[in-house]
Amino acid sequence: MFLIWGVLLMIFSLLFFIYGVWFLMSFKINVFEYYAVVLGNFEIKFYFLFDWISLLFASVVMFISSMVIIYSHDYMFFEKTKNYFCYMVLLFVGSMVLMIVSPNLLMILLGWDGLGLVSYCLVIYYQNYKSDSAGMITVMMNRVGDVFILLSLILVLNFGSYDFFVFKGMFYVTGFMLIIAGMTKSAQIPFSAWLPAAMAAPTPVSSLVHSSTLVTAGVYLLIRLNLLFSVSHFCKFLLYLALLTMVMSGIGAMLETDLKKIIALSTLSQLGLMMVILSLGKVDLAFFHLLTHALFKAMLFLCAGFMIHSSLGHQDIRFMGIFFLTSPMISGAFCLANMSLFGVPFLSGFYSKDMILEYIYFMESNWVVIYLMILATVFTVMYSLRVMFYSMWKSGVKMVDFSYHWSNWMGIPIFIMGVLVLVFGSMLSWILVFEDGSYIISFPVKLINVLIVFLGCWGVSVLYLGKIGLMNLKKLNFFLGSMWFLSMVSGGATVKTLKMGFFLYKEDNGWLEEIGPQGLYKLNSFLSIIVQWVQMISVKNLLFFFLVCMLLL
């Protein structure tokens, strides 16, 4: 069943890609509408928009899904509920595709809530305490975005349509709510704690979630709502929060030892990069990086799953180290995806990331933004080289700690994605048409991106190989490695508040009755008596009552 669905999704992906390129070259857009309910000016309809953006992104989503499902044929082979897992993955992909092709808030909410519900079911797949806690944090944090979309739905109702095309009349309130919804789904500060926690899911699910589905839904929603960024008020707060997210996730990844969490934090860093360039108004560059990032991040997770499988289930990189000797091909693919992540020239990630950084150097006049962007990119180089060094070449363990096996159904998807990581970025850079094609910058500025790679290599050699002692500051490392206590704020504070409320309710619930439901009931009853008395008395008595009141005053 896994193989059949994988092949079908690959065929659909190829068709969508061909149609996407055709629509891009011919400037073609298809819109399908089916009216379900029409009440006056208000319409509830099934509304699908097929243009080159939706078709290309749906193609990438379905291609990655096909690779993940074929990979899962062997990865989940001994699981009793593997068929349930396959259907949940398909439902997950279907929810994402529904969200991609919908330019209508009501239909987007269906796909959005579908992603949230199915992601919860997949995160708690292993049925243990850790998975249950991670699933609850994931679904509750995403409910914040769902509530903001529901509130914006109510406001859009005043305009008689849920379509994006009517949003010009309501920038400020609805635009702010939709940007907050996008930030919750893409885990920007202060909603970042759920993203590393979602690593409790099986590795194929992590590959799907962190490359092209759940976490990219927020970025894709904001790409579709690009007209919001013509209002400068939205751009500034999103720019600085995204920069803080990049720096926080970069430092956290340099201190983390769990392999999957390091890759999850790298996803958070790249999502922050997309949000930064979105807030600067370059929607096409954000979409370009969204597509290239999806491929090499999915490949990174699939390689990590193979390594975890071969390490007897261990995810701590300190217990790896000789994987290059046991499986050179998977090690090479893992290094290829990592190098694409930090922008080694002529790999997929280089084309989009280099254009984004050059645009920031060219257009941004705020030196704080430029310095933070360079710092976050250096951190990206450092944690990528660190995870490669510890998992590939460190030789901290013996061969007996490995259970090496080779599986064609796990190796072939990685090989196919590796070929695409080599050529996909170059191909897209020729196909896509950008608003302002190139930026003329001086030669020293052009060299900054190359110097960032060398600076990251030097930083790794000093901090990890030289052991200068900076990484042994336990209290500082605890603060930086725990995502600046965001997990405690979002999870611990909520639990403590609920416990305190339960304690106060048990001890003395009199004040809760007065200001809670009973108090509102009494106030409502009193106001109803007054209104009824006013309605029943005559005008003559009412005038006499007001006259007496005036005399008393």
Side-chain angles (χ1 to χ4, degrees), residues 363-387:
M363 295 296 293
E364 187 58 45
S365 59
N366 190 338
W367 284 95
V368 175
V369 173
I370 295 175
Y371 285 144
L372 284 177
M373 180 60 66
I374 293 175
L375 184 66
T377 312
V378 170
F379 288 158
T380 303
V381 180
M382 290 178 67
Y383 65 67
S384 300
L385 289 172
R386 171 179 177 258
V387 74

Side-chain angles (χ1 to χ4, degrees), residues 44 110 117 170 224 226 234 249 262 283 286 288 328 337 449 526:
I44 295 180
L110 294 177
L117 176 63
M170 45 188 321
R224 279 299 189 194
N226 57 346
F234 296 141
S249 56
I262 292 173
V283 179
F288 186 22
N449 293 343
F526 177 69

Side-chain angles (χ1 to χ4, degrees), residues 64-81:
I64 292 173
S65 308
S66 68
M67 294 293 104
V68 166
I69 288 177
I70 293 172
Y71 179 91
S72 303
H73 174 73
D74 273 7
Y75 191 91
M76 310 295 290
F77 188 77
F78 295 106
E79 296 289 335
K80 294 180 181 179
T81 55

